[in-house]
Amino acid sequence: MSNKRLAKDVFDLRVALGSETRPGAPGSFYHIACGGERLLRRPISVCGAWDDVVRFVYAVRGEGTKWLSGVCSGARLDMLGPLGRGFDLADEPTLLVGGGIGVPPMVFCAERIDAPVHAILGFRDADAVILTGAFASFDLLTDDGSAGDKGYPHEKLRERLAGGEWKNVLACGPRPMLKAVAKVCAEFGVRCQVSMEERMACGVGACLVCACAVGGTYKRVCADGPVFNAEEVDWDV
Amino acid sequence: MSENVHAPDLSVNLAGVTLKNPVVAVSGTFGFGREYGEYYDIGRLGAVCVKGITLLPRGGNPPPRVAETPMGMLNSVGLQNPGIDAFLSDELPFLRRFDTAVIANISGNTPEEYARMAEKLGDMVDLIEVNISCPNVKAGGMLFGTDPALAAEVTRAAKRAAGRPVLVKLTPNVTDIAHIALAVKDAGADGISLINTLGGMRIDTETRRPILRMNTGGLSGPAVLPVAIRCVYQVRGLGLPVLGMGGVSTASDAVEMMLAGAHAVGIGSAMFADPYAPMKVLQGLGEFMASHHLTRISELTGGVLPWEA
Ligand SMILES: Cc1cc2nc3c(=O)[nH]c(=O)nc-3n(C[C@H](O)[C@H](O)[C@H](O)COP(=O)(O)OP(=O)(O)OC[C@H]3O[C@@H](n4cnc5c(N)ncnc54)[C@H](O)[C@@H]3O)c2cc1C
Ligand SMILES: Cc1cc2nc3c(=O)[nH]c(=O)nc-3n(C[C@H](O)[C@H](O)[C@H](O)COP(=O)(O)O)c2cc1C
Ligand code: FES
């Protein structure tokens, strides 16, 4: 494995799996053990996969991801996966909307769609910008205008959808962004799938701690998701 | 009889039911067995205790429902479950395909609800675990488990209707656990399960918000092991069969739990760190027996040698 800094507090982790394991599909995640003194694993989305190598891009947020960032190349990691229901990809013109550390799974989606793809990438500021090189065609936005245009992804999405050529929207990022993206897609009647985040324990669907309100009930982000149809998510619960 | 000829006997008797080994997947961490069944043969477990079920379906509490703690975690799931009828029709038949005992964990708002559930279960499960210790629901739950009179009333109601042995699951959130254990014993409990989770709380120092949407939750995982061992130890004098749980993650923890007085040992949160934890504990128990020349694992139960006071 290798573990390299990509930006301030963002790391690019590549792990060679045993040959019997499949790396997983866009939107799926691995549940990664982050040091023996922590009971819970950390869910991280698959950012890319080649043969038996799986790639993750993660931000250092708290103790667990800090520990992960200190793991040296060549070490062994304890990972459970691939887990979860990923994006339902179609080879149709697709807009990818990524916010901050939600951009990594969008990279994998772009690779796997055999049709025109355009990304709308939003970041806090210039220091947080990552992975733009992975997209052939993209809009770059920052909250403060320090890189690309000043603005939010859902505003750019509205402009793009007005053109009428896009059939699908896939999104990953902070919940307020996903909610805004879902609203814009609903206005245009365009199918939208979102990757949701929730705190997890088991990661496999057994403990029910990762509840997300979807379609009037609590669904398990780890097993029924993390990807859901945006129109089914109960955004205000 | 040479002691190496016979395979070590891992079977135990829990409240009149023979389990082929003492390793039990506890309630709420193992769903209805389907998920971990993808990782190993759940038929290798001594018993599976299912997610807490209620008379009617329950949606559970709003998220976040989990917070990490030093060597443990808090949960506030709030008994999300499909209700007893869906359990019987959709989940139990799956579990029954495996060669493992099934324990039904039930929660009610009133003693009558416990009785109605026990009646519906009939003899379709091996044991009934009466949960009077859930910290995450308003009505019923832990309220019953902290008051000896109420605990006894629920026990009697369940016992009257039950077609199988009844374990009463106790909360450690009491001053004197032996007092409650005695009350449920006198009310006819066939055994007790302990411990359920300990009340706990975490706060985000930036937002000043509790991590859990319900503000408080139940603590489990390795952090609670010593509390669980102490609780099991304190009820050992009552002569009640005990399903001991709380923080067990290794075979050595399980041996400790049995020495304190447990007849069988539950494993819960340890699975979140390692899904194979129950299988590893099982294997480790076999190794412990071999290295300590034990022929029957049940010899360990209550085998602690306390210092004289
Ligand atoms: C399906 C899914 C995919 C994800 N993919 C990525 C990714 O590709 N890259 C990336 O950088 N991050 C991703 N995350 C977020 C990542 O899991 C959290 O940032 C991480 O768990 C924080 O752990 P920590 O120990 O650093 O933080 P701490 O705050 O110390 O963690 C304490 C506990 O809270 C949990 N937690 C804290 N924040 C989150 C969060 N936002 N989501 C879920 N659990 C959280 C931790 O897992 C841990 O159990 C994903 C989350 C989910 C649910
Ligand atoms: C996520 C979660 C859900 C739980 N749900 C239930 C439940 O439905 N009924 C119950 O009696 N106990 C429930 N418990 C408590 C466990 O069965 C067990 O008593 C406790 O977690 C201590 O064991 P452990 O440290 O091995 O996890 C739950 C525990 C966790 C962590
Ligand atoms: S984390 Fe256990 S069900 Fe999702």
Side-chain angles (χ1 to χ4, degrees):
Chain A
M1 66 139 248
S2 69
N3 196 14
K4 293 191 190 115
R5 187 183 294 273
L6 206 61
K8 183 172 168 285
D9 289 339
V10 179
F11 288 76
D12 185 337
L13 171 68
R14 296 169 195 225
V15 185
L17 304 168
S19 52
E20 75 279 10
T21 345
R22 60 195 168 94
S28 65
F29 69 95
Y30 278 70
H31 216 21
I32 304 180
C34 290
E37 62 277 28
R38 273 168 288 276
L39 178 70
L40 302 179
R41 292 164 178 266
R42 271 49 175 172
I44 305 288
S45 300
V46 177
C47 170
W50 314 267
D51 300 324
D52 76 331
V53 174
V54 60
R55 179 192 190 195
F56 307 95
V57 169
Y58 64 92
V60 173
R61 283 284 145 78
E63 290 301 312
T65 47
K66 186 175 166 199
W67 177 91
L68 196 59
S69 71
V71 173
C72 300
S73 292
R76 290 175 70 86
L77 281 176
D78 175 359
M79 316 196 307
L80 195 61
L83 300 169
R85 246 189 78 255
F87 290 99
D88 178 17
L89 301 183
D91 290 332
E92 295 173 338
T94 303
L95 280 176
L96 308 176
V97 186
I101 202 63
V103 171
M106 294 297 118
V107 171
F108 199 15
C109 291
E111 260 171 38
R112 291 291 166 95
I113 296 171
D114 195 10
V117 166
H118 178 83
I120 300 171
L121 309 173
F123 299 94
R124 200 175 47 251
D125 54 31
D127 285 346
V129 174
I130 50 165
L131 297 169
T132 51
F135 301 93
S137 158
F138 66 90
D139 296 306
L140 174 63
L141 303 144
T142 49
D143 300 355
D144 64 359
S146 57
D149 295 337
K150 181 170 158 59
Y152 295 102
H154 68 278
E155 298 161 354
K156 183 59 87 178
L157 175 66
R158 184 173 279 123
E159 280 173 38
R160 291 281 169 190
L161 285 178
E165 74 262 43
W166 304 102
K167 300 280 176 261
N168 287 301
V169 172
L170 312 179
C172 184
R175 189 179 171 104
M177 181 200 94
L178 295 180
K179 183 179 173 182
V181 164
K183 187 160 167 279
V184 171
C185 288
E187 284 166 24
F188 287 87
V190 172
R191 180 168 183 225
C192 175
Q193 299 171 59
V194 291
S195 180
M196 303 298 290
E197 251 183 36
E198 199 42 76
R199 287 167 186 258
M200 294 184 182
C202 73
V204 301
C207 75
L208 310 182
V209 303
C210 62
C212 175
V214 177
T217 60
Y218 283 123
K219 293 265 166 69
R220 303 163 302 178
V221 168
C222 69
D224 303 314
V227 177
F228 295 99
N229 284 322
E231 59 189 6
E232 290 172 40
V233 175
D234 303 322
W235 294 101
D236 299 319
V237 174
Chain B
M1 199 162 59
S2 144
E3 57 182 25
N4 290 324
V5 176
H6 298 279
D9 180 4
L10 277 157
S11 73
V12 297
N13 183 305
L14 179 64
V17 176
T18 301
L19 310 184
K20 66 185 171 193
N21 65 63
V23 178
V24 179
V26 309
S27 179
T29 61
F30 208 71
F32 298 105
R34 293 181 195 272
E35 292 79 15
Y36 287 108
E38 303 277 321
Y39 291 80
Y40 42 84
D41 175 11
I42 62 175
R44 288 175 61 198
L45 294 164
V48 169
C49 184
V50 302
K51 172 64 193 167
I53 42 189
T54 49
L55 199 53
L56 298 175
R58 274 182 70 104
N61 291 327
R65 293 176 172 182
V66 62
E68 199 173 46
T69 67
M71 286 313 284
M73 59 174 275
L74 301 174
N75 90 81
S76 58
V77 172
L79 295 178
Q80 178 178 339
N81 82 95
I84 191 155
D85 293 335
F87 165 70
L88 289 172
S89 61
D90 305 344
E91 305 295 347
L92 187 57
F94 168 79
L95 271 174
R96 276 298 176 212
R97 300 215 298 260
F98 300 90
D99 176 26
T100 186
V102 175
I103 307 177
N105 178 284
I106 60 173
S107 285
N109 293 311
T110 60
E112 294 69 43
E113 282 192 14
Y114 285 93
R116 284 185 60 195
M117 280 188 279
E119 203 176 307
K120 279 174 182 269
L121 289 167
D123 61 0
M124 287 184 282
V125 295
D126 296 283
L127 287 146
I128 297 173
E129 183 173 71
V130 167
N131 181 9
I132 52 167
S133 45
C134 181
N136 297 320
V137 291
K138 284 200 191 88
M142 207 169 79
L143 183 71
F144 291 132
T146 50
D147 179 325
L150 286 176
E153 197 185 331
V154 170
T155 306
R156 270 193 299 274
K159 260 308 276 183
R160 262 200 303 275
R164 297 296 304 165
V166 169
L167 304 172
V168 179
K169 185 163 178 180
L170 304 184
T171 172
N173 302 313
V174 293
T175 320
D176 182 359
I177 195 149
H179 191 52
I180 305 272
L182 182 61
V184 303
K185 183 191 180 199
D186 288 344
D190 299 291
I192 50 178
S193 291
L194 70 176
I195 56 174
N196 207 319
T197 54
L198 283 143
M201 183 173 187
R202 295 301 305 268
I203 298 169
D204 184 321
T205 52
E206 295 304 315
T207 63
R208 300 192 175 196
R209 289 283 197 187
I211 308 262
L212 297 175
R213 182 62 182 75
M214 299 301 288
N215 296 322
T216 62
L219 179 66
S220 63
V224 310
L225 179 75
V227 177
I229 301 280
R230 184 266 297 169
C231 288
V232 170
Y233 175 72
Q234 285 181 332
V235 300
R236 79 196 181 292
L238 300 177
L240 268 176
V242 172
L243 170 52
M245 66 188 80
V248 173
S249 52
T250 64
S252 163
D253 298 341
V255 169
E256 228 181 288
M257 191 64 91
M258 293 188 77
L259 289 174
H263 295 70
V265 181
I267 300 178
S269 306
M271 279 183 269
F272 303 154
D274 181 1
Y276 296 96
M279 294 296 117
K280 289 179 181 169
V281 168
L282 185 55
Q283 190 188 340
L285 286 177
E287 288 163 9
F288 182 89
M289 289 177 74
S291 62
H292 292 72
H293 310 290
L294 291 175
T295 48
R296 292 197 320 275
I297 192 96
S298 56
E299 288 169 37
L300 291 173
T301 297
V304 60
L305 301 170
W307 300 102
E308 277 166 43

